[in-house]
Amino acid sequence: MCGIVGYVGTRKVVPVLLAGLRRLEYRGYDSAGIVYHHGQELVRHRAEGKLSQLEAVLDEHIGVDSTAGLGHTRWATHGAPTEQNAHPHSDCSGELVVVHNGIIENYSSLKQELVARGHVFQSETDTEVLAHLIEEHLQEDLVLAVRAALAQVEGSYALAVLWAKEPEMLVAARHQSPLVIGVDAEASYLASDIPALLPYTSEVIFLDDGDLAVLQKGAYRVLRLTDGKAIEKKITSIDWTASMAEKGGYRHYMLKEIFEQPLAIRNTISGRIIPDTGTVQLPGLGISDQVLKDLRRIVLVACGTSWHAALVAKYWLEKLVGIPVEVDIGSEFRYRRLLLDEQVLTVVISQSGETADTLEGMRQAARLGSPVLTICNVVGSTMTREADGVLYTHAGPEIGVASTKAFTCQMTALFLFTLYLGQLWGTIGQKEQKDLGLHLINLVDTLSDILEPLRKTVQKVIETYHEARDFLFIGRGINFPIALEGALKLKEISYIHAEGYAGGELKHGPIALIDQYMPVLAIAPQDSTYQKLVTNIEEIKARQGRLILIGTEGDTHLPTLSKDLILLPRVHEDLTPILCTLPAQLLAYEIAALRGCDVDQPRNLAKSVTVE
């Protein structure tokens, strides 16, 4: 989410910054900007839209005699994707600029305090708060000012600062957002990801949370944010090619995006849950609490993977809020008589915000007087402009056609909305609210911990399955939609015919397909439907079906049913769909990769379906 590049050295800075931004544009392309030191002042250039718009602005500045600067390419979160909201952002004096990735959770209260003390803001972003905070603390030592400012900040950040009075020094800091330093004898480099550095150096230092870096020509220091003490950091030599590095070292964008899910979910949660109480805050929702309190029914409308997220949300909303919920496929929704009015909320879900069938269904619902909420990943898309309210996911750009991190972020956003509605309706008790909020927050660390070992387990399991012609996925209850999603992922990228079923439906027809050649993946965490699904698994085993089982660590029964096991940590039952999605995604990916398929651009598919 967003890309930062920085340079201080002997080269002319503008070409270095633009080259770095081009390699980071996958991280965001709503707007872009650079700043460099020239003469006695800082010069900023910013442009709305993709990087090409900024490049056009900078045509006559390529050869400017400056050797230190910062660049940023933005994926908008706070504030529309306009030139005014583009980074870098400055303080009141214009002598200090900041670029930032992440979300400042307490920016609203900080901004109010700063405005009360006379600071004038020029943008709608949370980032600008950082520039003014540093300005407040800045006297003669930029490092001390940055440390003091960040001590007041709650949230995530990768941050870089340039000050006119220290023209050959960059200060950077990291917390829950990636940042890497590139070093050589004549220069220091800074970037959100390695691709921006590779044309110039293969020697890098990965900053950790709580690190602050001071970059100068051919020199750098890394300090602890908390106390300013120096830290020794290991220099890593990168042997990737530039083309590999565009995918962050991963073989495919899809794999990279699978591994980005913990951070993407963290960004979607960030600033929206108060950990001490579990209270959910959705200040930008755009639909009044009174309208939400008066609802009689909710209709969820989506296509493809987003429809599976909607199916999961139906379980949450009916269980935790007690409101009736319908789930419709976007392409079918608009072709029947819709019983909608001002007391029926229509929630449309789309990664791109441009999905044609969902968009038309949304418009029809609006014509009937239904308030419309969109859950979307793209700021400024058609759905976000036309809906009454918006709940953004913060997955960042998703390049692989088969959706991965957008899907888990959609589920996360829908769970947040469920908790918010439960607060308004009073259907979730205070203790349960806190517990559910903490379980969601803690899930991020669980996902981070398991991804690498999980991939190795999946690689081992699929060795005898990648040549299958057909595949069945089964689940029950809240994990039935994940069986549908797992089957969709496999058919999308491996071209294996795959179907998802509710476990109890097997005996109503699909069990006729079971023989010693039919692979079946069963999603069987130890939840309230576990015993029922085990019965379905036993039925498959009795007919010699080839079983892959996704279960819970410590389960002693599943190992008696199959040797092909994927066991996951125990999490709250309501969050098992997000957890169980990861092995389903990895299974599809590893099978497709082993078959030599074009994982990122599967045949006949497009990332955004803008035709009906």
Side-chain angles (χ1 to χ4, degrees):
M1 180 180 295
C2 303
I4 288 173
V5 61
Y7 175 77
V8 55
T10 58
R11 298 172 183 267
K12 291 183 177 180
V13 72
V14 174
V16 174
L17 297 179
L18 286 177
L21 291 175
R22 277 192 290 271
R23 291 176 173 271
L24 295 178
E25 193 175 15
Y26 73 90
R27 297 181 66 87
Y29 34 82
D30 295 322
S31 60
I34 69 168
V35 62
Y36 53 83
H37 189 271
H38 187 59
Q40 301 299 313
E41 60 183 10
L42 300 181
V43 179
R44 275 193 300 167
H45 298 281
R46 300 181 295 174
E48 178 182 341
K50 293 190 176 182
L51 183 60
S52 58
Q53 302 299 312
L54 178 65
E55 290 175 320
V57 170
L58 288 170
D59 270 350
E60 60 189 76
H61 302 279
I62 291 294
V64 69
D65 189 18
S66 174
T67 58
L70 294 168
H72 188 275
T73 180
R74 181 174 186 242
W75 190 85
T77 54
H78 292 78
T82 63
E83 181 178 340
Q84 183 182 26
N85 290 329
H87 298 220
H89 292 289
S90 75
D91 67 348
C92 294
S93 71
E95 294 185 341
L96 181 140
V97 293
V98 174
V99 293
H100 162 242
N101 298 344
I103 296 173
I104 305 304
E105 297 176 9
N106 60 334
Y107 86 98
S108 181
S109 59
L110 290 172
K111 183 174 182 178
Q112 290 175 18
E113 295 169 6
L114 289 163
V115 169
R117 292 198 290 271
H119 289 265
V120 177
F121 282 73
Q122 303 296 329
S123 76
E124 303 169 294
T125 68
D126 58 336
T127 297
E128 192 179 350
V129 165
L130 296 169
H132 293 284
L133 271 181
I134 297 169
E135 178 187 11
E136 286 238 321
H137 294 284
L138 185 55
Q139 295 179 359
E140 296 180 355
D141 191 325
L142 180 59
V143 172
L144 284 178
V146 172
R147 288 180 52 219
L150 293 179
Q152 298 177 249
V153 166
E154 298 172 11
S156 60
Y157 51 79
L159 175 76
V161 184
L162 178 62
W163 186 29
K165 294 183 180 179
E166 291 278 3
E168 295 188 353
M169 182 177 79
L170 304 178
V171 175
R174 172 203 159 128
H175 180 64
Q176 295 181 353
S177 194
L179 209 51
V180 60
I181 297 170
V183 296
D184 67 22
E186 296 182 342
S188 294
Y189 304 83
L190 181 72
S192 299
D193 204 353
I194 293 168
L197 307 179
L198 286 185
Y200 310 106
T201 181
S202 60
E203 303 294 299
V204 304
I205 295 169
F206 295 99
L207 295 183
D208 296 312
D209 286 351
D211 285 353
L212 180 145
V214 181
L215 307 182
Q216 295 171 299
K217 290 182 180 180
Y220 67 90
R221 291 179 289 143
V222 181
L223 315 174
R224 270 202 303 259
L225 262 174
T226 51
D227 57 17
K229 290 185 177 179
I231 306 171
E232 291 293 327
K233 303 294 289 189
K234 178 184 176 183
I235 295 178
T236 302
S237 295
I238 302 298
D239 59 0
W240 298 338
T241 65
S243 59
M244 287 174 63
E246 288 174 0
K247 300 178 178 70
Y250 292 93
R251 183 179 174 188
H252 297 99
Y253 281 114
M254 181 180 177
L255 182 61
K256 179 176 184 289
E257 288 156 4
I258 289 171
F259 273 77
E260 287 177 336
Q261 286 177 112
L263 179 59
I265 292 170
R266 187 189 301 279
N267 287 337
T268 300
I269 296 169
S270 194
R272 290 169 166 173
I273 296 181
I274 300 174
D276 291 344
T277 62
T279 302
V280 175
Q281 298 176 320
L282 302 176
L285 195 64
I287 296 178
S288 73
D289 287 352
Q290 191 57 54
V291 168
L292 296 176
K293 288 178 181 178
D294 291 341
L295 294 177
R296 292 183 292 105
R297 183 162 49 96
I298 293 176
V299 177
L300 304 174
V301 182
C303 297
T305 287
S306 298
W307 179 62
H308 299 154
L311 290 171
V312 173
K314 175 181 172 70
Y315 285 86
W316 289 331
L317 287 162
E318 291 183 343
K319 174 184 175 181
L320 297 172
V321 182
I323 188 170
V325 177
E326 300 172 17
V327 180
D328 274 277
I329 296 173
S331 56
E332 294 296 321
F333 178 68
R334 53 193 289 235
Y335 293 110
R336 62 181 178 81
R337 183 185 176 190
L338 300 177
L339 304 178
L340 304 176
D341 57 32
E342 66 279 0
Q343 289 185 293
V344 180
L345 177 68
T346 301
V347 180
V348 294
I349 309 166
S350 169
Q351 186 278 139
S352 67
E354 306 291 347
T355 310
D357 290 312
T358 307
L359 181 58
E360 287 305 313
M362 165 185 158
R363 288 168 174 163
Q364 190 159 341
R367 285 193 288 269
L368 293 170
S370 173
V372 177
L373 172 69
T374 185
I375 293 176
C376 184
N377 195 43
V378 180
V379 174
S381 61
T382 302
M383 287 184 195
T384 66
R385 295 196 305 271
E386 296 189 15
D388 299 300
V390 181
L391 180 54
Y392 283 110
T393 56
H394 293 314
E398 188 178 65
I399 297 169
V401 168
S403 181
T404 52
K405 62 179 181 174
F407 174 60
T408 49
C409 285
Q410 285 172 349
M411 288 194 288
T412 301
L414 286 160
F415 191 73
L416 286 171
F417 179 68
T418 300
L419 296 182
Y420 185 74
L421 200 57
Q423 288 173 194
L424 291 179
W425 280 45
T427 57
I428 303 177
Q430 188 173 358
K431 183 180 183 304
E432 185 180 17
Q433 182 83 28
K434 180 178 179 179
D435 288 346
L436 289 170
L438 287 175
H439 279 298
L440 181 58
I441 292 169
N442 293 335
L443 179 65
V444 174
D445 292 331
T446 299
L447 300 181
S448 297
D449 292 342
I450 69 169
L451 263 167
E452 193 59 51
L454 178 60
R455 184 187 180 197
K456 292 177 181 176
T457 299
V458 170
Q459 286 173 327
K460 184 177 179 181
V461 165
I462 60 98
E463 287 176 352
T464 59
Y465 290 90
H466 70 280
E467 294 182 351
R469 297 183 59 185
D470 303 278
F471 231 104
L472 297 183
F473 289 68
I474 62 168
R476 295 196 78 141
I478 199 169
N479 283 300
F480 162 49
I482 306 308
L484 296 174
E485 174 63 12
L488 176 61
K489 282 291 153 288
L490 187 63
K491 72 180 78 173
E492 278 182 312
I493 63 173
S494 75
Y495 317 138
I496 294 173
H497 172 246
E499 301 295 337
Y501 288 97
E505 278 295 292
L506 283 177
K507 62 180 68 68
H508 295 284
I511 202 167
L513 298 171
I514 303 297
D515 60 17
Q516 68 269 31
Y517 305 109
M518 176 62 77
V520 183
L521 182 141
I523 301 171
Q526 289 183 326
D527 59 13
S528 56
T529 62
Y530 172 77
Q531 292 299 335
K532 295 294 184 184
L533 188 58
V534 166
T535 299
N536 304 138
I537 294 169
E538 296 275 12
E539 294 166 351
I540 295 166
K541 184 176 176 63
R543 289 158 180 83
Q544 299 183 303
R546 301 169 63 195
L547 283 161
I548 300 174
L549 305 180
I550 297 176
T552 303
E553 289 176 351
D555 191 317
T556 57
H557 186 57
L558 291 186
T560 68
L561 301 176
S562 175
K563 63 179 178 58
D564 295 323
L565 290 170
I566 302 171
L567 298 180
L568 304 173
R570 188 178 300 276
V571 300
H572 192 283
E573 177 173 341
D574 291 339
L575 298 176
T576 54
I578 299 175
L579 178 68
C580 292
T581 294
L582 269 62
Q585 293 172 341
L586 285 168
L587 179 131
Y589 171 80
E590 295 295 346
I591 287 178
L594 204 55
R595 290 164 67 96
C597 299
D598 189 343
V599 172
D600 288 329
Q601 297 179 325
R603 67 189 181 203
N604 304 331
L605 297 178
K607 185 64 183 169
S608 178
V609 183
T610 55
V611 293
E612 297 176 34

